[in-house]
Each structure stands twice: as C-alpha cells, then as structure tokens.
Amino acid sequence: MPSRTPSTDVDAFLRELEHPQDAAIRRLRAVIQAADPRIGEGIKWNAPSFHVEGHHFATMQLRRQDSVLLVLHLGTAKRAMPDGALHDPDGLLTWMAADRATVSFVGTQDVDARASALQAVLRQWMAHV
C-alpha cells in the first residue's frame, strides 16, 4: 500500500511550483477532491497524485506549459479496464493503453466546463482500482 502523503505536502509542493497553468492545476485538484470524500492525495512522479483506500488512480502530469494532463491509471499492477466499464458520454478520455487514459485541460474555464463529466468518470474509474 502506498504511503499516504498529507495534503499539507501537496499544498507545500504547489506553493513552490512555478507553472503557467497554476490556477488550472489548483482548480483541477479541487474538482478531483470533490468527486468523493475518500480521495486522498500526495506527490508522485513530481506532481499531485490521487488515491482511494491506498490505491492510486490519477496523477497530474505537469510537463506541458500550455495545459495540464490528468493521467488515470489502475495502479502498479498491469491490468486492463474491463470492456464497457466506463460511460464517457462527453468523450473526455484519450486511451493510452488498456489500463491508462488521459484528460487534458487548458485553463480554469476548461476545468470548470468539464468538472461534472470528469467527476462522473472518476467515480466509475475508482470502482476498478
């Protein structure tokens, strides 16, 4: 089970982070946390990462300067998302592999516009970690 990093560590990380998408990163973090009260967070791969019941399921990728990428994954064990397990009517997900998908956001307006759809996808995704 991954160690739980307190949110204060993520707060400290974000205070030190100099990123053009800072506001979008912070807003995306809040949207993810609001999806389910069981969601915890920490720093993984030098970015905010989210877990439920000790199992990581989403990690931000902060390499790009023009957007924020959210990588949804099924943890460290290699396994595929079951066919038909996710309902994504808004087409948020770009599948990278059978166990990994991404969603890209450009700015806070983009995060806000797709917040409800993202939370619905996250709740479904968490059921499989």
Side-chain angles (χ1 to χ4, degrees), residues 5 86-87:
T5 304
L86 292 177
H87 182 63

Side-chain angles (χ1 to χ4, degrees), residues 1-62:
M1 178 185 297
S3 63
R4 183 175 174 119
T5 304
S7 292
T8 55
D9 289 355
V10 178
D11 291 337
F13 174 85
L14 292 176
R15 273 194 304 277
E16 298 295 319
L17 182 67
E18 293 181 16
H19 197 286
Q21 294 290 321
D22 181 67
I25 293 165
R26 292 171 187 277
R27 181 66 187 127
L28 180 57
R29 178 187 181 205
V31 167
I32 293 167
Q33 290 172 326
D36 189 301
R38 299 173 300 150
I39 294 175
E41 62 179 349
I43 300 299
K44 185 174 181 177
W45 299 311
N46 203 31
S49 185
F50 304 89
H51 55 86
V52 63
E53 298 171 358
H55 301 284
H56 284 268
F57 67 89
T59 303
M60 290 184 194
Q61 186 188 88
L62 306 177

Side-chain angles (χ1 to χ4, degrees), residues 54-111:
H55 301 284
H56 284 268
F57 67 89
T59 303
M60 290 184 194
Q61 186 188 88
L62 306 177
R63 291 183 208 138
R64 292 182 159 175
Q65 299 297 301
D66 63 343
S67 61
V68 178
L69 192 67
L70 182 64
V71 180
L72 302 181
H73 47 83
L74 294 174
T76 57
K78 201 72 161 154
R79 57 193 174 97
M81 180 65 72
D83 287 339
L86 292 177
H87 182 63
D88 180 19
D90 294 286
L92 294 181
L93 301 176
T94 300
W95 287 91
M96 309 307 289
D99 64 341
R100 186 173 39 254
T102 62
V103 185
S104 183
F105 297 93
V106 180
T108 55
Q109 288 181 335
D110 192 21
V111 174

